[in-house]
Amino acid sequence: MSMSHPVPTAPLVVACLRVTDLRPEVDLLTGSVRRDRLGVGLSAPDASALEHALRIAEAWSGRVLAVAAGPRSVETVLRDAVALGASVLRIPWDDDGSDHGFAAELAGDEQSLARAIGAALVPFGTPDLVVCGDRSVDRGTGALPAFLAHELHAAQALGLVALSPGAADGTSRRVLDAERRLDAGWREQLVVPLPAVCSVEGAGVRLRRAPLSGVLAAESAVIPTSALPPRPAAGTGRGTGPVLVGATRVFTPRTRVLPAPESPDPRIRLLALTGALVAHDPPTVVGPVGAAEAADALLDFLVRHGYLEEPPVAGSPTGAGDR
Amino acid sequence: MAESADFDAVVVGAGPAGSSAALALARAGRSVVMVERGPFPGSKNVYGGVVYGRVLDDIIPAWWSEVPVERWVVRRSTMMMTEDQSLAIDYRSHAWGVAPYNGMTTVRSHFDSWLAGKATEAGARLVTSTVATGLVRDGAGRVIGVRTDRDGAELHAPVVIACDGVNSLLAKEAGLLPHAEASHYTLGVKEVLDLPAEVINDRFGVRGHEGVDIEILGCTRGIPGGGFLYTNAETVSIGVVASLPHLSDAKVRPEELIADLKAHPSIAPLLRGATLREYAAHLIPEGGYDTMPPLATDGMLVAGDSAAMTLAAGLWLEGVNFAIGSGYAAGRAADRAVTAGDCSARGLASYRADLEQQFVLADHKRLRKAPALVLSERIQQRYPGLLCDLAEGMFTVTNPSPKAGGLRITRAAAAKHGVKLRELAADTLRGLRIFG
Ligand SMILES: Cc1cc2nc3c(=O)[nH]c(=O)nc-3n(C[C@H](O)[C@H](O)[C@H](O)COP(=O)(O)OP(=O)(O)OC[C@H]3O[C@@H](n4cnc5c(N)ncnc54)[C@H](O)[C@@H]3O)c2cc1C
């Protein structure tokens, strides 16, 4: 069904849901991952994203649109969102029914996915807020929210453990108050301007249960599907195309031969082996710098420590993803 | 006030009984809703592994062409064992490996979802992740619906069909089942073990989609019960069932019984190298006909394990087919009662009459004494050893001593296991009367 909606003025909060098999089976010998259509559901971060979207839309008297990109099997999850009163939209993605390998999913072209989601949202109006589940904690690249923010010209905040409508900053502009973890138990408080793409951890809130009337209504609801998004050929289009993942194998750092410690005292030899007697570089503080400089600093670090042989050529489709 | 919705019938549980009941009602054009506590049908359901599909012939013609099957059972074996002996009667049929087949191993999450899908295709509604927490009654005490755990919302209908499985809370609340009667139940525990398909084929002497069903007696340390071993496509299911009060008295953990069985010299070679995929435990209503509750009360029917309909009679451990048969009959009886505008116990009485005409109550009635015989002390503790010794006596070559006669071997084996020949004859006669 292609969509043509009047664009209402109430704020639009989008829950961008990643539907996945919650109980994949991993073959211990081959490492292959087997997934089951029956196991599809929302991970804790995605459930938390939906709950945050519902709460914030309530506070803003706004609309919630739950979006999931995937084959028809994602409709089960969208139906649960319908039961909670959200509008929903499925974006056909990997609709050939094939069970993509785990590595292929990791290397999925998040940029074209973000583009497809951005395009599918157009008929609904510009979202004030898109909430995603923070997938990078357990798996996934966590890249989608960033690409999505780019597509929507929105601010981005990731790794959030709390997200709520913020007090307006003296003007009529709406903002969000957010919080994320730092090391050593510290928390960082953010004021996020709108429009924004925020990704939340699966913590702090629990997805509400739908009322029975909602469940009954959702059971027979037709799930709207956006027009099939065009798929860019790898390496073409605006961006660099997907990261290409070669054969996955265990990463083994190269062996480096070190001279045996020299000392008649076995204790000193042992200490030397632990590295305790060697002066260490102090932790490097980079920044605050822009994203490109931060990436350069990271690459430089990896080269210096022997994890990368040479800096990858800018714009090359194969990057660090296959290492 | 809690919200509510109205239907012609409410079915609690989307197991085989519930889906069959909903299918019958939906086909009759009734509005029917199934309430299932799991996130999808079969998600929480435990069983050994074999479904005998003949009951589906009339309900879903050519069901075998679409059912999610693991393997078609072509070998059935009944094995008696002691700690270090075993004696098996092994039957194999080529006919069972081709349509219309006899039995199949199937995974419940797949099978139950498939059957529930048939009901929803026919128009039944399915509400998952929702628990029916109790019955709703009218002023006269008649059941008129169920309460759910979604903010206490209610589903109303002139007839409720309780298909909520063994130890049915709804049947208890309706006063149909006694509050607790441990002796009517066994505990079934099972492990699913991973084995490559070719290894299963080689070890069990099958190929392609062929599978094996082995029922075992004498593997439960004398606790009344038995064991089973079934082959799936790339896994095997092994488990034991044990009488609940005896298990509790024996202070044995059920997983120890499975560990014993897996280590038995006749079983261990079949499982070498297998890795554990899942462990599950569930009650089984093994009491049979004499422990069944009344099947109807005003506004309510009970079907499947809620009505204690698993047939556990030594050679047979069949519950899914009985659940399907009774569920479908309950759905049809509910439809008739709604048409007649009489959903009282009397209006729903055609359910029982229907079950008596077909295998569900006919088999249970004929085999009503089987559970007691099969779980009796002699069958459980003495006969497996006696029969194994008898076989050993017959098959051991005793040269240069001449072969002993069958009667002498039988006498010796019976004496060794404390069984009098009189008792052996009486039990044989009893068995013939029950199973004959
Ligand atoms: C270890 C073991 C081995 C077995 N082996 C076999 C075998 O090999 N072959 C065979 O045919 N049978 C076997 N059985 C028996 C078989 O499992 C049962 O007879 C069969 O599952 C009964 O079906 P049912 O639909 O009546 O109940 P169930 O299959 O138990 O279904 C009940 C359904 O109701 C739902 N439910 C329960 N309470 C509520 C509630 N309050 N609200 C909402 N939903 C609820 C449950 O989630 C479930 O889906 C075995 C049983 C066990 C335990």
Side-chain angles (χ1 to χ4, degrees):
Chain A
M1 193 200 306
S2 59
M3 314 293 307
S4 111
H5 293 268
V7 180
T9 47
L12 174 63
V13 181
V14 174
C16 184
L17 306 174
R18 178 83 79 156
V19 180
T20 182
D21 179 358
L22 299 175
R23 287 166 295 179
E25 281 178 25
V26 183
D27 186 315
L28 297 181
L29 289 180
T30 62
S32 67
V33 181
R34 203 163 25 184
R35 285 179 282 187
D36 189 339
R37 186 179 51 80
L38 290 172
V40 297
L42 286 183
S43 65
D46 283 271
S48 158
L50 181 53
E51 179 59 32
H52 274 112
L54 291 163
R55 287 186 188 188
I56 293 168
E58 269 161 18
W60 288 347
S61 305
R63 308 165 283 152
V64 180
L65 174 68
V67 175
R72 281 189 78 96
S73 55
V74 309
E75 290 190 357
T76 326
V77 168
L78 289 177
R79 232 169 258 292
D80 292 345
V82 172
L84 290 166
S87 306
V88 298
L89 178 67
R90 178 173 81 87
I91 298 164
W93 201 252
D94 297 339
D95 224 4
D96 52 6
S98 62
D99 187 14
H100 289 274
F102 185 64
E105 187 185 296
L106 283 189
D109 187 351
E110 301 285 88
Q111 189 174 18
S112 22
L113 177 56
R115 237 174 257 160
I117 295 174
L121 291 179
V122 169
F124 296 85
T126 309
D128 296 81
L129 169 65
V130 177
V131 198
C132 305
D134 187 347
R135 270 204 348 148
S136 45
V137 242
D138 54 357
R139 60 188 190 127
T141 59
L144 181 75
F147 283 126
L148 208 49
H150 175 75
E151 284 300 316
L152 300 171
H153 305 291
Q156 192 210 353
L158 49 78
L160 305 179
V161 287
L163 182 66
S164 55
D169 53 0
T171 69
S172 59
R173 262 181 349 123
R174 263 191 294 258
V175 289
L176 291 161
D177 286 340
E179 212 173 288
R180 68 178 157 212
R181 294 179 216 273
L182 293 180
D183 285 351
W186 287 79
R187 296 232 170 166
E188 181 175 42
Q189 289 185 337
L190 311 171
V191 175
V192 185
L194 299 179
V197 176
C198 296
S199 26
V200 292
E201 283 189 17
V205 295
R206 186 184 283 261
L207 182 59
R208 64 192 67 185
R209 260 164 85 68
L212 188 62
S213 53
V215 178
L216 284 169
E219 200 234 335
S220 52
V222 176
I223 304 295
T225 304
S226 75
L228 202 65
R231 286 282 208 146
T236 62
R238 268 194 285 159
T240 54
V243 174
L244 299 182
V245 174
T248 44
R249 57 180 191 276
V250 178
F251 172 69
T252 326
R254 265 160 291 140
T255 317
R256 274 186 288 168
V257 182
L258 298 174
E262 282 174 23
S263 167
D265 183 347
R267 188 176 150 274
I268 298 294
R269 286 206 304 274
L270 263 179
L271 278 175
L273 280 176
T274 64
L277 303 176
V278 185
H280 286 278
D281 288 347
T284 318
V285 179
V286 183
V289 289
E293 287 144 290
D296 283 345
L298 279 173
L299 289 172
D300 187 43
F301 176 90
L302 292 173
V303 172
R304 244 187 302 134
H305 290 269
Y307 292 104
L308 274 185
E309 275 162 24
E310 60 198 41
V313 182
S316 147
T318 39
D322 60 347
R323 285 165 201 275
Chain B
M1 192 174 144
E3 61 174 20
S4 65
D6 292 321
F7 292 87
D8 289 335
V10 174
V11 175
V12 179
S19 291
S20 306
L23 177 60
L25 280 152
R27 280 182 176 169
R30 296 289 168 201
S31 65
V32 51
V33 62
M34 284 185 277
V35 193
E36 168 55 48
R37 68 180 167 187
F40 58 86
S43 53
K44 289 182 172 275
N45 295 354
V46 177
Y47 88 136
V50 183
V51 171
Y52 300 96
R54 206 62 319 112
V55 64
L56 287 169
D57 287 350
D58 292 337
I59 302 176
I60 304 168
W63 52 272
W64 55 81
S65 59
E66 51 170 307
V67 74
V69 63
E70 293 279 305
R71 285 173 185 260
W72 298 106
V73 174
V74 296
R75 261 187 68 198
R76 284 192 72 168
S77 195
T78 299
M79 188 183 270
M80 268 145 292
M81 59 171 55
T82 65
E83 265 174 39
D84 54 2
Q85 297 163 295
S86 69
L87 169 67
I89 300 168
D90 195 287
Y91 177 75
R92 181 178 193 125
S93 164
H94 173 72
W96 288 354
V98 291
Y101 304 101
N102 179 51
M104 65 188 155
T105 53
T106 171
V107 175
R108 282 295 292 276
S109 54
H110 298 159
F111 180 80
D112 288 14
S113 290
W114 170 77
L115 196 57
K118 291 281 155 204
T120 52
E121 275 166 30
R125 315 280 300 272
L126 171 64
V127 174
T128 54
S129 300
T130 305
V131 181
T133 52
L135 297 170
V136 181
R137 295 172 187 268
D138 66 7
R142 281 184 298 249
V143 175
I144 53 157
V146 297
R147 201 167 307 108
T148 71
D149 67 341
R150 289 198 184 261
D151 272 344
E154 294 175 358
L155 291 164
H156 292 171
V159 56
V160 169
I161 308 183
C163 301
D164 49 340
V166 62
N167 207 20
S168 161
L169 297 182
L170 295 187
K172 283 180 182 176
E173 190 183 329
L176 299 175
L177 270 179
H179 186 62
E181 185 45 88
S183 63
H184 294 171
Y185 300 103
T186 54
L187 179 69
V189 288
K190 84 160 184 179
E191 287 183 3
V192 177
L193 308 172
D194 276 317
L195 267 186
E198 317 80 67
V199 175
I200 294 178
N201 289 349
D202 287 350
R203 292 189 187 167
F204 290 85
V206 288
R207 56 187 179 171
H209 287 298
E210 293 175 344
V212 180
D213 157 342
I214 305 175
E215 309 288 343
I216 305 160
L217 209 59
C219 59
T220 47
R221 298 192 192 173
I223 299 167
F228 57 85
L229 173 57
Y230 305 135
T231 56
N232 304 314
E234 293 182 344
T235 57
V236 294
S237 303
I238 182 161
V240 296
V241 297
S243 150
L244 211 48
H246 290 84
L247 185 67
S248 144
D249 290 348
K251 306 254 179 301
V252 175
R253 302 229 16 115
E255 61 271 23
E256 290 173 34
L257 298 179
I258 299 195
D260 284 359
L261 182 56
K262 281 162 62 180
H264 191 277
S266 300
I267 303 295
L270 299 174
L271 306 180
R272 205 178 49 246
T275 51
L276 181 65
R277 174 190 283 233
E278 71 184 42
Y279 175 86
H282 204 270
L283 287 181
I284 311 178
E286 285 213 19
Y289 189 81
D290 293 331
T291 63
M292 280 184 196
L295 301 180
T297 183
D298 291 341
M300 179 167 147
L301 292 171
V302 274
D305 271 11
S306 325
M309 283 178 181
T310 293
L311 180 73
L315 291 178
W316 304 288
L317 175 56
E318 298 174 25
V320 173
N321 46 342
F322 282 80
I324 293 172
S326 60
Y328 203 75
R332 288 200 316 201
D335 168 50
R336 285 191 293 268
V338 172
T339 306
D342 179 7
C343 293
S344 67
R346 259 194 35 203
L348 292 166
S350 70
Y351 172 47
R352 187 177 184 100
D354 193 359
L355 291 183
E356 275 166 357
Q357 295 305 309
Q358 45 153 307
F359 73 99
V360 176
L361 284 186
D363 283 355
H364 265 292
K365 200 167 178 180
R366 192 164 62 83
L367 296 166
R368 67 196 294 173
K369 302 250 180 299
L373 175 67
V374 171
L375 298 178
S376 67
E377 189 259 357
R378 276 201 293 276
I379 296 267
Q380 288 286 329
Q381 295 181 7
R382 296 172 197 268
Y383 288 165
L386 189 157
L387 290 168
C388 285
D389 282 350
L390 195 61
E392 188 159 318
M394 299 299 281
F395 295 140
T396 304
V397 176
T398 54
N399 308 165
S401 309
K403 292 191 192 306
L407 195 59
R408 218 178 92 202
I409 296 172
T410 310
R411 274 213 184 98
K416 180 175 162 196
H417 293 279
V419 177
K420 298 194 174 75
L421 285 184
R422 192 165 26 87
E423 290 167 334
L424 190 58
D427 287 337
T428 311
L429 202 63
R430 207 171 138 207
L432 280 174
R433 277 208 199 104
I434 293 170
F435 296 105

